[in-house]
């Protein structure tokens, strides 16, 4: 087992535990913002880190959604919400860092609050780029480290706690990770003092 495998195993176990209280705790992203992100998805959609299925009810007719997550505990909750979806949904246990889909499979690859948790976020984003069709879209709604020096420092200090309790990092530079993975942001909207970003990107640089 490599270091990265053991990190992945640790975060997976944490999310199995977090699944027990995630829906109760999850207030960071408003329903309005989730809807805004999800309703831009079209065609064959891959939702990475589908979690407890908080987004499933917002997909618009015409989408066929595949939701993946590496945590069986989170997926179990998503299965309970599957009936709320207006579109066909398939849920699979899979690691975003090593997906089993062929290249260029999906019209839309989407995630909400996931690349804060993926142990190797650049590898996960490279996989998102690989499985997205060249003319497809990658939609990311993510929270990131604050640009405010004091708040940023506070996030750095509190990060080990969030990582330990939930499995999520609160101080990632996801915009830099997107560029490093070779994904090109086309539009970016910022919320909550620029901590939350909605990014529409192309898999082509
Ligand atoms: C903070 S939760 C967000 C869940 C959901 N997207 C939402 O908006 O409510 C992060 C999710 O990403 C999943 N995740 C983290 N790393 C992953 C990986 N390498 N592969 C698949 N899922 C992963 C976790 O299991 C968890 O369900």
């Amino acid at each position: 087992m490599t270091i990265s495998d053991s990190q992945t195993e640790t975060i997976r176990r944490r999310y199995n535990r977090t699944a027990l209280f995630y829906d109760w705790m999850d207030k960071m992203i408003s329903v309005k913002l989730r809807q805004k992100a999800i309703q831009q998805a079209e065609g064959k959609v891959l939702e990475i880190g589908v979690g407890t299925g908080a987004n499933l009810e917002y997909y618009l007719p015409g989408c066929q959604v595949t939701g993946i997550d590496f945590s069986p505990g989170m997926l179990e909750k998503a299965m309970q919400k599957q009936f709320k979806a207006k579109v066909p949904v398939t849920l699979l246990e899979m690691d975003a860092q090593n997906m089993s889909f062929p290249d260029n499979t999906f019209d839309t690859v989407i995630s909400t609050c996931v690349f804060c948790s993926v142990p190797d976020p650049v590898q996960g984003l490279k996989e998102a780029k690989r499985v997205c069709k060249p003319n497809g879209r990658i939609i990311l709604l993510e929270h990131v480290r604050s640009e405010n020096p004091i708040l940023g420092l506070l996030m750095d200090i509190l990060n080990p706690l969030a990582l330990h309790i939930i499995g999520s990092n609160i101080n990632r530079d996801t915009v830099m990770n997107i560029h490093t993975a070779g994904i090109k942001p086309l539009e970016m909207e910022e919320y909550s003092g620029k901590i939350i970003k909605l990014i529409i990107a192309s898999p082509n640089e």
Side-chain angles (χ1 to χ4, degrees):
M1 193 185 256
T2 65
I3 289 174
S4 154
D5 285 339
S6 73
Q7 274 172 352
T8 296
E9 197 41 47
T10 302
I11 302 302
R12 186 205 315 270
R13 266 193 277 109
R14 285 190 190 152
Y15 269 103
N16 282 337
R17 186 183 63 195
T18 299
L20 303 173
F21 58 89
Y22 183 83
D23 282 342
W24 170 80
M25 171 202 79
D26 173 41
K27 303 284 178 271
M28 188 164 200
I29 303 284
S30 69
V31 167
K32 223 169 142 187
L33 200 47
R34 279 188 189 277
Q35 284 174 327
K36 186 168 189 186
I38 297 300
Q39 291 179 354
Q40 295 184 63
E42 44 184 46
K44 250 184 121 174
V45 178
L46 171 66
E47 183 175 337
I48 296 177
V50 67
T52 63
N55 297 324
L56 295 179
E57 62 187 294
Y58 304 127
Y59 286 101
L60 294 177
C63 294
Q64 306 109 56
V65 179
T66 302
I68 66 158
D69 205 290
F70 70 173
S71 156
M74 296 295 270
L75 276 176
E76 206 175 294
K77 302 275 178 189
M79 280 168 199
Q80 292 164 14
K81 292 205 193 91
Q82 214 170 340
F83 75 93
K84 291 187 177 178
K86 304 172 201 75
V87 301
V89 174
T90 306
L91 297 172
L92 302 171
E93 187 180 329
M94 197 183 293
D95 183 352
Q97 302 160 117
N98 180 23
M99 294 192 249
S100 60
F101 307 112
D103 296 359
N104 311 330
T105 301
F106 296 99
D107 300 295
T108 307
V109 178
I110 190 162
S111 72
T112 61
C113 300
V114 172
F115 287 95
C116 53
S117 304
V118 175
D120 183 343
V122 172
Q123 174 57 24
L125 287 161
K126 282 183 180 167
E127 279 289 271
K129 174 184 161 89
R130 180 184 69 76
V131 301
C132 188
K133 291 180 185 172
N135 60 348
R137 285 290 172 266
I138 299 174
I139 302 174
L140 305 165
L141 179 59
E142 295 286 337
H143 62 84
V144 301
R145 187 183 189 276
S146 173
E147 288 171 20
N148 176 297
I150 295 171
L151 196 53
L153 182 64
L154 194 65
M155 287 169 130
D156 292 341
I157 292 167
L158 293 177
N159 192 58
L161 200 64
L163 189 59
H164 187 74
I165 296 174
I166 301 165
S168 161
N169 294 274
I170 56 172
N171 65 348
R172 282 218 170 137
D173 186 345
T174 298
V175 175
M176 188 186 73
N177 291 339
I178 289 169
H179 284 288
T180 308
I183 293 170
K184 183 181 177 189
L186 302 172
E187 293 167 36
M188 184 156 71
E189 290 178 20
E190 298 177 310
Y191 303 90
S192 306
K194 299 190 180 178
I195 288 174
I196 294 176
K197 298 186 195 283
L198 173 57
I199 299 162
I200 314 291
S202 162
N204 305 305
E205 275 178 289

